Amino acid sequence: MNPELPPVAPEVAAASVEALTSRLRKKLDAAIETYVAAPVTVEGAVRRVRCGEDAEVVLTPGPSGAVTNAGEAMCSCLLAPRCLHLAAVLGACPVADAQTAVAQEGDKSAEVESPTQDTVQAVVGVPGPDTPAPPPQTGPTDAQLIAARSLWAAAAAVLAAGVPAAGAVAQAEVLRASHTARLAGLHRAEAAALRVVRGLRGARSRHDGHRLADLVADLRELLLTTGLLAAADPAPALVGTARRSYRPEGALRVHGVCREPVISATGYGGVVTHVISDDGRWFTVADVKPGGPARARGAATATVALGSGSVDHAGLSRGGLLISGATLSSDGRLGAGKGVRATPVAGRSWTSGPLAALFARPLAEAVAARLGNAPVSDREGAERSAGELIGCDLVIVGVVEQQLLAQELTSGRPDPDGLLIRLLPANGHPDLAHTANLRRLASRPGLRLRVVGRLDPDRAATLRPLAVGPTPEPDETTATTLRLPAEWQGHADLGYDRIEGSHLPPADAVPETAGLPRVPSDPVTEAPLWRLRRLVEVAVSGGRRAAAEPARDGDRAGAVVALRRAGFRTAADLSHALAAEADRRGRDVFGRTQETDPDGYARAWLAAAVYLAGTERALVRATWEPPDAT
């Protein structure tokens, strides 16, 4: 993807591919690679891409910053709009989020008044008081069943093809099916489909931010959701909710906690400020738009769009707001509609009010609640639960095998047998300060600090800090904690604020640690489950033929045998079944061998992927248990 190009709605990109002839479709992937690196001329909101001597593609995004209809993407060649230039340039653009066509990151939906009961009845045909009510819907509608089956088929085709063969045409099928899912109201399936397309593009372009594990998780989520929906599963969670559906919240008083920079692989950048209300509920105020790293840096001090006009994100993270007419989305994001008014108020420190309760909860208890709130089969729900911020008091132990270790403080004192955890940067982008700040903290073993961050659900006992502050210690021990500037008001945002040597206590004032312990065990990487994980990932990265290799060579690597000997019998059975199904062949009417229908292969892969994710989540959860509980 070219970050200088605007995001494009899925249906627009899919329509441009469908309009091509079969001859042009064969050239599409090569053309996209050419235009990804092509220079972009910027004229205000307009983007121009020169495609040879006689053609130029002009993109004119709408108010949302994305191309949301065919009229906003034009080509000057004679074949337009059914031309290779237009389809290739749109294929080089990032994929827009589902709700980009409806509203920007600020909440415009909050400006729409709620319809009355009579209006709803007239529009959707809800019966009045004298009309017998129809039986309630107990499962997906016919339109949702059709959309789910279409999206399953597109996802199964991508899985069978693998990353190398899942080019623009296969991605367009997924985008077209995702648009059908949106029209049918399948929000969870649509979101998963868009993530799969982004993951495929990142893998094919070898993007630095691409992780094969993320693509595997997204494809697992898509197949599982659409498979259950296609089977008429009535669970409401499978349908999901619109991400930008805001509801009235009324009056609200919030206190800033920290800022988090956002740099996405889709070309978006900005900041999210985390705030907490008097009753302990978490909310976010976001300013994320197309722009990448430059915008993430600039948004750190951008004005908060909540009606006050006088508070920026830096001030909000250390202050507070009294909001009237507040609106709230399903994921806890505060809206900025016309009726929202906000008045700046003094913030609270991390040692009083609702924030003090955040640090009073034992770390193991807080983590258990987040890792257990949502099933691993619901990736979006599981990530939302695991992404909730937690607070703890830690003492820096030191760096062991290139890992920064810290120990939980209990009642202000380190427990010799306390929980050891790893600290990793929340975002490793070189334009952000996370990595440099952790290196600075690692230089002072014995340093005590208060941390707000989120756990890493895929790694053993790992926390990714977003902000740090001094611990509330007695007067005689204040030299062992942070000494931050007064203007920082008690904490440092690790993505933006730079911790200097003067902010740390003198080296001779920090008590020596009792020797560096060994690195805590990591059952996720030490268990032989890596053999099943490798097969599941190879199936995505290499396609069906790559997954069939163990069956063709008689399991010479011994993966199935090793899993069975280690006690992972289910993993061994699933590994064998996946390889065997991948190698299954049928014959056409002329007797020639051909691959069988992809549905059976997709089900075998999905069973292995779901089992693997659930087992690894259980192993990660065990690493957060206190030593005396294991």
Side-chain angles (χ1 to χ4, degrees):
M1 295 171 292
N2 190 330
E4 297 184 11
L5 294 174
V8 174
E11 62 272 21
V12 176
S16 68
V17 176
E18 292 175 356
L20 296 178
T21 64
S22 58
R23 181 180 63 85
L24 292 179
R25 289 187 183 187
K26 296 178 181 179
K27 301 179 179 180
L28 182 55
D29 289 330
I32 290 177
E33 293 182 5
T34 299
Y35 297 138
V36 162
V40 179
T41 303
V42 179
E43 299 176 359
V46 178
R47 301 292 188 272
R48 298 178 181 271
V49 179
R50 173 63 62 178
C51 304
E53 298 181 357
D54 302 325
E56 182 181 57
V57 174
V58 180
L59 304 178
T60 309
S64 65
V67 176
T68 57
N69 62 74
E72 295 173 351
M74 308 293 292
C75 181
S76 62
C77 77
L78 297 178
L79 294 178
R82 300 181 177 182
C83 66
L84 182 62
H85 309 117
L86 185 59
V89 171
L90 292 178
C93 295
V95 179
D97 290 329
Q99 300 299 320
T100 302
V102 180
Q104 299 185 39
E105 288 295 328
D107 173 30
K108 292 189 176 182
S109 63
E111 302 172 9
V112 182
E113 296 183 359
S114 301
T116 63
Q117 175 110 11
D118 294 338
T119 303
V120 172
Q121 291 178 359
V123 172
V124 302
V126 177
D130 299 329
T131 307
Q137 180 73 32
T138 58
T141 65
D142 291 341
Q144 289 175 335
L145 287 173
I146 294 173
R149 290 165 184 164
S150 175
L151 201 45
W152 163 275
V158 165
L159 176 63
V163 170
V169 175
Q171 295 169 25
E173 287 298 318
V174 178
L175 292 177
R176 180 196 58 78
S178 72
H179 179 59
T180 304
R182 188 202 334 172
L183 297 179
L186 300 180
H187 307 292
R188 176 176 164 183
E190 181 204 9
L194 298 184
R195 293 198 302 268
V196 166
V197 173
R198 292 178 183 130
L200 288 172
R201 292 184 176 184
R204 289 174 58 84
S205 63
R206 296 179 176 84
H207 191 275
D208 292 339
H210 166 71
R211 292 179 64 245
L212 180 59
D214 291 337
L215 178 56
V216 169
D218 292 331
L219 195 54
R220 182 191 70 225
E221 163 80 0
L222 178 57
L223 286 171
L224 181 61
T225 303
T226 55
L228 293 174
L229 285 169
D233 192 309
L238 294 174
V239 175
T241 57
R243 192 175 296 271
R244 289 289 169 252
S245 177
Y246 285 79
R247 67 176 187 271
E249 184 66 20
L252 198 64
R253 185 187 183 101
V254 298
H255 309 280
V257 181
C258 62
R259 293 170 295 169
E260 178 182 7
V262 175
I263 301 176
S264 75
T266 58
Y268 285 81
V271 63
V272 172
T273 299
H274 299 269
V275 298
I276 192 170
S277 63
D278 288 331
D279 57 359
R281 291 183 295 164
W282 285 90
F283 306 100
T284 58
V285 181
D287 183 6
V288 181
K289 296 178 182 178
R295 196 179 188 286
R297 295 192 303 269
T301 55
T303 302
V304 175
L306 275 181
S308 66
S310 59
V311 177
D312 59 19
H313 282 271
L316 177 58
S317 70
R318 295 178 168 93
L321 288 175
L322 183 60
I323 308 173
S324 62
T327 58
L328 184 66
S329 71
S330 59
D331 58 355
R333 182 168 299 185
L334 293 172
K338 289 183 178 179
V340 179
R341 297 291 181 270
T343 303
V345 295
R348 288 192 174 184
S349 69
W350 286 7
T351 59
S352 63
L355 275 172
L358 176 69
F359 299 97
R361 193 176 188 184
L363 186 57
E365 179 182 329
V367 171
R370 281 153 179 78
L371 287 180
N373 281 347
V376 73
S377 58
D378 179 7
R379 188 193 180 204
E380 194 168 338
E383 285 186 345
R384 188 183 308 116
S385 178
E388 295 175 359
L389 303 189
I390 58 178
C392 57
D393 291 337
L394 302 174
V395 56
I396 299 297
V397 174
V399 179
V400 181
E401 298 181 10
Q402 298 183 347
Q403 299 185 48
L404 176 57
L405 300 183
Q407 189 176 41
E408 183 180 13
L409 289 170
T410 304
S411 301
R413 297 181 179 274
D415 185 351
D417 298 324
L419 182 64
L420 278 174
I421 65 173
R422 302 165 179 83
L423 300 181
L424 290 180
N427 192 317
H429 198 281
D431 287 355
L432 304 178
H434 292 288
T435 302
N437 282 332
L438 286 189
R439 287 174 180 168
R440 180 70 69 176
L441 296 176
S443 67
R444 198 70 87 239
L447 173 69
R448 302 184 181 196
L449 68 162
R450 179 157 277 190
V451 177
V452 171
R454 62 168 57 90
L455 64 93
D456 189 330
D458 300 324
R459 295 175 180 267
T462 299
L463 188 68
R464 295 184 180 270
L466 297 179
V468 295
T471 54
E473 298 179 329
D475 292 340
E476 62 269 16
T477 61
T478 53
T480 64
T481 189
L482 292 170
R483 303 183 298 180
L484 301 178
E487 59 269 20
W488 288 8
Q489 299 183 29
H491 78 268
D493 295 326
L494 293 181
Y496 291 115
D497 301 325
R498 297 275 180 175
I499 296 179
E500 304 293 343
S502 59
H503 302 154
L504 304 176
D508 55 359
V510 179
E512 295 183 2
T513 57
L516 293 177
R518 64 180 180 86
V519 177
S521 62
D522 187 352
V524 178
T525 59
E526 295 172 0
L529 278 176
W530 64 267
R531 300 177 183 273
L532 178 60
R533 186 187 315 116
R534 182 173 63 181
L535 180 60
V536 168
E537 292 180 347
V538 163
V540 176
S541 62
R544 183 169 185 161
R545 294 184 179 181
E549 288 301 322
R552 294 172 182 171
D553 64 11
D555 192 36
R556 284 183 295 182
V560 174
V561 175
L563 287 169
R564 202 177 301 279
R565 285 178 177 174
F568 292 95
R569 296 182 178 179
T570 302
D573 293 340
L574 292 172
S575 179
H576 174 73
L578 175 56
E581 185 62 36
D583 195 41
R584 190 184 302 279
R585 294 289 186 270
R587 292 186 180 275
D588 60 16
V589 294
F590 300 104
R592 296 172 298 192
T593 59
Q594 61 179 8
E595 292 182 352
T596 57
D597 186 79
D599 283 356
Y601 170 66
R603 292 190 182 94
W605 181 88
L606 181 59
V610 171
Y611 166 84
L612 178 65
T615 305
E616 289 184 338
R617 174 60 59 87
L619 293 175
V620 170
R621 190 183 299 115
T623 63
W624 286 98
E625 295 179 359
D628 55 358
T630 57

